Amino acid sequence: MFSKETYINRRNELKNKINNGIVLITGNNDAPMNYKSNTYHFRQDSTFLYFFGIDLQNLAGVIDIDNNEEILFGDDYTIDDIIWMGPQTSLKDKAAGAGIEKTRPFAELFEYIRDAAAKKRTIHFTPPYRGENIMLLADLLNIHHREVEKNASLELTKACIDLRSIKEPCEIEEMERHMSTAWEMHTTAMRMARPGISEQEITGAIEGVSMSGGGMVSFPVICSVRGETLHNHYHGNTLKEGDLLLTDAGSESPLHYATDHTRTTPVSGKFTETQRQVYQIVLDANNKAREATRPGVPYRDVHLLACKVIASGLKELGLMKGDPDEAVNAGAHALFMPHGLGHMIGLDVHDMEDYDDTLVGYDDEIKRSSQFGLAALRLGRRLQPGFTITNEPGIYFIPALIDNWKAENKFPQFLNYEKIEAFKGFGGIRLEDDILVTGDGCRILGERIPITIEEVEAIAGKGAVK
Amino acid sequence: MFSKETYINRRNELKNKINNGIVLITGNNDAPMNYKSNTYHFRQDSTFLYFFGIDLQNLAGVIDIDNNEEILFGDDYTIDDIIWMGPQTSLKDKAAGAGIEKTRPFAELFEYIRDAAAKKRTIHFTPPYRGENIMLLADLLNIHHREVEKNASLELTKACIDLRSIKEPCEIEEMERHMSTAWEMHTTAMRMARPGISEQEITGAIEGVSMSGGGMVSFPVICSVRGETLHNHYHGNTLKEGDLLLTDAGSESPLHYATDHTRTTPVSGKFTETQRQVYQIVLDANNKAREATRPGVPYRDVHLLACKVIASGLKELGLMKGDPDEAVNAGAHALFMPHGLGHMIGLDVHDMEDYDDTLVGYDDEIKRSSQFGLAALRLGRRLQPGFTITNEPGIYFIPALIDNWKAENKFPQFLNYEKIEAFKGFGGIRLEDDILVTGDGCRILGERIPITIEEVEAIAGKGAVK
């Protein structure tokens, strides 16, 4: 946990942003895998972590705005719990660590909320995303489970986004400290990439590196020679000469801050000439995007800049034609890069996505586009110092999408389908860093994971270091 | 998947056991971690895997007993899905692989169930354990989410237990094939155990071995120098000279059959004299229990036999006194072994625990005891050929439990509290194998993981093999 003052300050800031009523923040419980008591790794709710910091099951925090009162609802452990789970800190002590004086048994939360509801007080909660918490809220509020989501508080959600968007020094420190595990994960994958090894074996190894480094993976690992499949969680392929291995993976720090990086490695140890050309375009897009990243700039514009670098590069390769700016404005480049340049990252890999990614990434000034490609950009609004974001351009050759567009003859003025056809087995390349927006620009968090062609070829397939 | 005949046969067997109505088997979906689209490793529901074998999200299978009709409800993938998740097999082909001809869109399941309910037909389902499926069933049946569990079908549950208790040759083969990964996990932990390394690092490494071997861990890893805490998922300790590292870990095979083993390793590389004495008692209990394991014998009796070996051994060490048989009948040994000797294992590590562990492990003849210790035994009924079970005796010195019993002066005729006090920092030892009940006895599944004192000391701390 951070210092108790950190949590006290955050709750005070929140109180200043909410007019009245009660803020109810339910923690997560263990998530059942194949039966109730066989559970996945426990992952506390991020909002609960942010305001209370206690990384344990079966808790709920209440902030009474009207009476300036804070209560932690939970239960102390019984002797049976201690036999099975070991000695435990008391609820009182846990609460004190977060600067909270009042604790009550969890069961009393029902009466507490019922009383508040009877007095017509507003009960603020953020949109729940786990079935168990949706049912808990339904029971607490005495409404149908299908009514819960629509009763979430926009006021609370916006206040949380305001606070969490700007990372505090202690958060940046925690994130930066964990970047060494990200480095270790990715260089392990790069070193293991050689013909004959399976994607599954590399995936297992890097999940192990993450766990050994202190936490589970921050999202399902993508580690595939079919890198053109954007969220490919199939790891059944065996790597072979000429393949490109795309690894998009991250780790949670001990306090549950995410890392998120992508690297693309030539399985043969060296890129082919064509791979090298496409790789360099993606790397240029990544570097130019970072150079343009600074406070006050809408990230949508940085996204479009990266897309234009890609369109220009692909024009040089003969895959695109016409004016690159016009091509990007029309959305023709999205055949090759159908996703956004990046997103906020913090306690969640797509930070605060449980709240609503449009509320997080857009505002009254910068609205989300509905254009294919640009619509997938999660962060469009103006950058501010303290934002932590990803920078992840990519170029992909997705056979199904190419067939689709070609059949519709989309953007014939910008796309050279004949040449594109020849790239159908190429796969995909993505290069992603985690970036902090500073007072006057930005910087990469942690030591940059090998990314230039020379750096990558120097370690590709060189074997895991033990 | 197994052959489609396997699934056809299983469903036919099920039809023979259910009188009438409709069997509804809902598959699992992705389980949200910290927001809806950031999910844990997908784990299909075991009942769905058993009868349909399809390891994918968003499916439900229906077996209409009255009309001998089977339908798979699900949706085909859209072009957007293919961009993000890669090319996919059609629903028709997936169904055909499980020997099912009829498929319908998932949304039509609502109408289908509504019609059946309107005709007062019985809709059988097993008890759900994930919030999302509880809400789905509530919506399908048009009942409150709190009403779902009590509407689960005892008839279906018992039929599933009957079928799944006896493992088929293809299941045994699948389980046995994956035992090499279990071997690898445990020998890795034993080799890594040395002063200065952290529990977290070893845990990460063995989770990685599991993933590399084809599947996620079958339950949260226990890897702790505080082995007396039975389900210790805290991995924050650093190993030091004289510690015992207890590792209880398993892996899921590609078809999701579990392994589950425990080994206890001396961190110094050699056991102390006292550790050696206690270890040998546990090993004797394990071996004698296995020798007594054969068809027709109640596993409760095997459990009690193991407890008596432990009570006799502890009497020799001066920690217990009086007649060991009487001590075990009274439950005095449970201070040292408060858990059961073992449980069924198969598609779940505690096989079929979602159904109800008393229904799985007991019957009209052998009833579950309420005595502390024996009550925790999950499998008490008579063994049958084809049962796969665990054999996991242990001896623990749990400070809180010792204090508790001593304060109440429990079983002074059997317990020598003064001597027991001296063992308070000892920790715990558990030794667990996976066993198949054969026609005339039993055998250990796979090559036995090093377990004798000599075998363990030969590899403890010798470093991971790469």
Side-chain angles (χ1 to χ4, degrees):
Chain A
M1 281 178 69
F2 296 124
S3 72
K4 75 176 174 190
E5 287 73 25
T6 301
Y7 302 103
I8 292 171
N9 288 342
R10 289 172 178 176
R11 292 192 302 268
N12 285 340
E13 293 275 356
L14 185 67
K15 287 176 206 162
N16 290 336
K17 288 176 182 286
I18 305 287
N19 274 319
N20 56 46
I22 286 168
V23 173
L24 167 63
I25 301 174
T26 49
N28 281 338
N29 290 344
D30 281 315
M33 201 160 68
N34 49 340
Y35 52 90
K36 271 182 192 156
S37 70
N38 200 34
T39 57
Y40 287 106
H41 290 298
F42 174 62
R43 176 51 160 83
Q44 182 59 290
D45 174 70
S46 298
T47 308
F48 191 88
L49 280 175
Y50 189 78
F51 291 108
F52 299 97
I54 307 169
D55 196 6
L56 290 164
Q57 297 86 337
N58 305 310
L59 297 171
V62 157
I63 303 170
D64 181 336
I65 304 291
D66 309 318
N67 301 302
N68 193 21
E69 187 182 57
E70 299 171 338
I71 310 171
L72 182 70
F73 287 85
D75 295 311
D76 271 312
Y77 288 79
T78 65
I79 176 74
D80 267 2
D81 295 327
I82 291 166
I83 292 172
W84 291 89
M85 297 163 60
Q88 306 288 335
T89 317
S90 74
L91 186 66
K92 270 265 171 255
D93 287 348
K94 285 172 200 156
I100 294 188
E101 285 166 21
K102 291 188 188 143
T103 64
R104 290 175 64 177
F106 195 87
E108 292 185 11
L109 182 59
F110 290 83
E111 193 193 325
Y112 180 90
I113 296 292
R114 210 180 310 124
D115 282 358
K119 289 176 187 145
K120 307 273 182 218
R121 299 179 65 192
T122 308
I123 295 154
H124 300 273
F125 58 91
T126 58
Y129 49 89
R130 287 193 182 186
E132 289 73 13
N133 269 344
I134 294 171
M135 291 190 294
L136 171 64
L137 286 165
D139 291 344
L140 285 169
L141 301 167
N142 201 23
I143 58 178
H144 193 275
H145 64 80
R146 277 193 303 270
E147 300 294 315
V148 172
E149 202 164 333
K150 64 184 78 155
N151 279 289
S153 163
L154 187 63
E155 187 183 3
L156 174 63
T157 300
K158 284 184 167 175
C160 290
I161 292 172
D162 272 1
L163 288 173
R164 287 177 56 188
S165 291
I166 313 285
K167 268 62 183 176
E168 300 160 346
C170 63
E171 294 183 286
I172 295 165
E173 216 175 276
E174 169 77 8
M175 290 177 78
E176 193 129 36
R177 198 182 303 120
H178 199 59
M179 290 294 157
S180 58
T181 297
W183 195 94
E184 190 69 29
M185 286 170 78
H186 280 277
T187 56
T188 296
M190 293 161 99
R191 286 179 174 280
M192 289 178 81
R194 53 172 172 68
I197 198 170
S198 71
E199 295 166 348
Q200 184 71 34
E201 193 171 340
I202 301 175
T203 302
I206 63 180
E207 290 215 7
V209 171
S210 176
M211 280 294 294
S212 291
M216 57 187 189
V217 293
S218 49
F219 58 93
V221 170
I222 298 166
C223 176
S224 178
V225 293
R226 297 267 53 86
E228 76 275 16
T229 301
L230 303 181
H231 279 180
N232 199 342
H233 302 140
Y234 174 77
H235 301 131
N237 298 305
T238 297
L239 279 58
K240 56 181 201 314
E241 295 283 354
D243 281 343
L244 289 171
L245 179 72
L246 186 152
T247 306
D248 187 348
S251 177
E252 289 208 339
S253 77
L255 298 184
H256 300 286
Y257 286 79
T259 74
D260 181 8
H261 296 83
T262 310
R263 288 295 183 267
T264 308
T265 310
V267 172
S268 302
K270 299 275 170 201
F271 291 100
T272 65
E273 190 48 37
T274 311
Q275 286 171 347
R276 177 184 301 260
Q277 288 168 337
V278 179
Y279 188 97
Q280 192 60 49
I281 298 170
V282 179
L283 181 55
D284 289 346
N286 171 301
N287 285 328
K288 294 213 166 108
R290 192 182 63 259
E291 287 160 18
T293 296
R294 70 178 69 88
V297 175
Y299 207 51
R300 180 198 56 198
D301 296 354
V302 183
H303 166 90
L304 292 172
L305 171 70
C307 295
K308 285 169 189 172
V309 174
I310 285 170
S312 300
L314 292 175
K315 185 181 175 185
E316 270 182 54
L317 292 187
L319 300 175
M320 291 189 75
K321 53 192 179 184
D323 180 57
D325 286 11
E326 282 175 28
V328 168
N329 290 339
H333 69 287
L335 176 62
F336 308 102
M337 177 167 149
H339 65 69
L341 180 66
H343 48 80
M344 289 212 171
I345 182 168
L347 278 167
D348 311 297
V349 60
H350 292 170
D351 208 22
M352 304 175 272
E353 189 158 305
D354 55 328
Y355 298 158
D356 177 328
D357 64 352
T358 303
L359 280 178
V360 171
Y362 293 86
D363 55 19
D364 291 340
E365 182 200 355
I366 315 268
K367 306 277 185 200
R368 195 163 191 160
S369 164
S370 60
Q371 187 189 67
F372 178 78
L374 190 53
L377 177 65
R378 285 189 167 80
L379 175 62
R381 63 183 166 117
R382 290 185 192 276
L383 301 170
Q384 296 176 48
F387 278 19
T388 47
I389 60 177
T390 66
N391 168 23
E392 48 178 313
I395 294 178
Y396 316 89
F397 297 90
I398 306 168
L401 191 62
I402 294 169
D403 291 347
N404 207 290
W405 280 35
K406 195 179 169 188
E408 294 178 27
N409 196 27
K410 279 182 88 163
F411 305 117
Q413 69 277 37
F414 299 122
L415 297 169
N416 187 344
Y417 283 108
E418 205 172 315
K419 272 219 119 169
I420 293 168
E421 277 291 327
F423 277 75
K424 261 182 173 174
F426 182 96
I429 292 173
R430 180 163 64 252
L431 297 171
E432 177 181 20
D433 296 318
D434 296 341
I435 281 181
L436 168 70
V437 180
T438 58
D440 57 355
C442 73
R443 65 179 177 83
I444 292 175
L445 284 166
E447 186 188 342
R448 197 178 200 189
I449 298 166
I451 196 166
T452 67
I453 288 173
E454 297 66 37
E455 287 166 352
V456 172
E457 289 187 343
I459 68 163
K462 293 296 185 288
V465 187
K466 267 287 147 184
Chain B
M1 282 179 69
F2 295 125
S3 71
K4 74 176 174 191
E5 288 72 25
T6 302
Y7 302 102
I8 292 171
N9 288 341
R10 289 172 178 177
R11 291 192 302 267
N12 285 339
E13 294 274 357
L14 185 68
K15 287 176 204 162
N16 289 335
K17 288 176 181 285
I18 305 287
N19 275 319
N20 56 46
I22 286 168
V23 173
L24 166 63
I25 301 174
T26 49
N28 281 339
N29 290 345
D30 281 315
M33 202 160 68
N34 48 340
Y35 52 90
K36 271 182 191 156
S37 70
N38 201 33
T39 58
Y40 287 106
H41 290 297
F42 174 63
R43 177 51 159 85
Q44 182 59 290
D45 173 70
S46 297
T47 307
F48 191 89
L49 280 175
Y50 188 79
F51 291 109
F52 299 97
I54 308 169
D55 196 6
L56 290 165
Q57 298 86 337
N58 305 311
L59 298 171
V62 156
I63 303 170
D64 180 337
I65 304 292
D66 308 320
N67 302 302
N68 193 22
E69 188 182 57
E70 298 170 338
I71 309 171
L72 182 71
F73 287 85
D75 295 311
D76 271 312
Y77 289 78
T78 64
I79 177 74
D80 266 2
D81 295 326
I82 291 166
I83 293 171
W84 290 90
M85 298 165 58
Q88 306 288 334
T89 317
S90 74
L91 186 66
K92 269 267 171 252
D93 287 348
K94 284 173 201 156
I100 293 187
E101 286 166 21
K102 291 187 188 142
T103 63
R104 290 175 64 175
F106 195 87
E108 291 186 10
L109 182 59
F110 290 84
E111 192 194 326
Y112 180 89
I113 296 292
R114 209 182 309 124
D115 282 358
K119 290 175 187 146
K120 307 271 183 222
R121 299 178 64 193
T122 308
I123 295 154
H124 301 274
F125 58 91
T126 57
Y129 48 90
R130 287 193 182 185
E132 289 73 13
N133 270 344
I134 295 170
M135 291 190 292
L136 173 64
L137 287 165
D139 290 343
L140 285 168
L141 301 166
N142 201 22
I143 58 179
H144 193 275
H145 66 81
R146 276 193 303 269
E147 299 294 315
V148 172
E149 202 164 333
K150 65 183 78 152
N151 279 290
S153 163
L154 187 62
E155 188 183 1
L156 174 63
T157 300
K158 284 184 167 173
C160 290
I161 292 172
D162 272 2
L163 288 172
R164 287 177 55 189
S165 291
I166 312 286
K167 268 61 182 176
E168 300 160 346
C170 64
E171 293 181 288
I172 295 165
E173 217 174 274
E174 170 77 9
M175 288 177 78
E176 193 129 35
R177 200 181 302 121
H178 200 58
M179 290 295 158
S180 57
T181 297
W183 195 93
E184 190 70 28
M185 286 169 80
H186 280 276
T187 56
T188 296
M190 293 161 99
R191 287 179 174 280
M192 288 177 81
R194 53 174 171 66
I197 197 170
S198 71
E199 295 166 349
Q200 184 71 34
E201 193 172 341
I202 301 176
T203 301
I206 62 179
E207 290 216 6
V209 171
S210 176
M211 280 294 292
S212 291
M216 56 188 191
V217 292
S218 49
F219 58 94
V221 169
I222 298 166
C223 177
S224 179
V225 293
R226 297 268 53 86
E228 76 275 16
T229 301
L230 302 180
H231 280 180
N232 198 342
H233 302 140
Y234 172 77
H235 301 131
N237 297 306
T238 297
L239 280 58
K240 57 183 200 312
E241 295 283 354
D243 280 343
L244 290 171
L245 180 73
L246 186 151
T247 306
D248 186 348
S251 177
E252 289 208 340
S253 78
L255 298 184
H256 299 286
Y257 286 80
T259 74
D260 182 8
H261 297 84
T262 310
R263 289 295 183 268
T264 308
T265 309
V267 172
S268 302
K270 300 274 169 202
F271 291 101
T272 64
E273 189 49 36
T274 310
Q275 286 172 345
R276 177 183 301 260
Q277 287 168 338
V278 178
Y279 188 97
Q280 191 60 49
I281 298 170
V282 179
L283 181 54
D284 289 346
N286 172 301
N287 285 328
K288 294 213 165 108
R290 193 182 63 259
E291 287 159 19
T293 296
R294 70 178 69 88
V297 175
Y299 207 50
R300 179 200 55 197
D301 296 355
V302 184
H303 166 89
L304 292 172
L305 171 70
C307 294
K308 284 169 189 171
V309 174
I310 285 169
S312 301
L314 292 175
K315 185 181 175 183
E316 270 182 54
L317 292 187
L319 300 175
M320 292 189 74
K321 53 192 179 184
D323 180 56
D325 286 12
E326 283 175 28
V328 168
N329 290 339
H333 68 287
L335 176 62
F336 308 102
M337 177 167 148
H339 65 69
L341 180 66
H343 49 79
M344 289 213 171
I345 181 167
L347 277 167
D348 310 298
V349 61
H350 292 168
D351 208 21
M352 304 175 274
E353 189 159 305
D354 53 329
Y355 297 159
D356 176 328
D357 64 352
T358 302
L359 280 177
V360 170
Y362 293 85
D363 56 17
D364 290 341
E365 183 199 353
I366 315 267
K367 306 277 185 202
R368 195 164 191 159
S369 164
S370 61
Q371 187 188 69
F372 178 78
L374 190 52
L377 177 65
R378 285 190 167 80
L379 175 63
R381 65 184 166 116
R382 288 185 193 278
L383 301 170
Q384 297 177 46
F387 277 20
T388 45
I389 60 178
T390 66
N391 169 22
E392 48 178 313
I395 294 178
Y396 315 89
F397 296 90
I398 307 167
L401 191 62
I402 294 170
D403 291 347
N404 207 289
W405 280 36
K406 195 179 169 188
E408 294 178 27
N409 196 25
K410 278 184 90 165
F411 304 119
Q413 69 277 38
F414 299 123
L415 297 170
N416 188 345
Y417 284 109
E418 205 172 315
K419 271 217 119 169
I420 293 167
E421 277 289 328
F423 275 75
K424 261 182 173 175
F426 181 95
I429 292 173
R430 179 162 67 250
L431 296 172
E432 176 181 21
D433 296 318
D434 295 342
I435 282 181
L436 168 70
V437 180
T438 59
D440 57 355
C442 73
R443 66 180 177 81
I444 291 175
L445 284 166
E447 186 188 343
R448 197 178 200 190
I449 298 165
I451 196 167
T452 66
I453 287 172
E454 297 67 36
E455 287 166 351
V456 171
E457 289 186 342
I459 68 163
K462 293 296 185 288
V465 186
K466 265 289 149 186

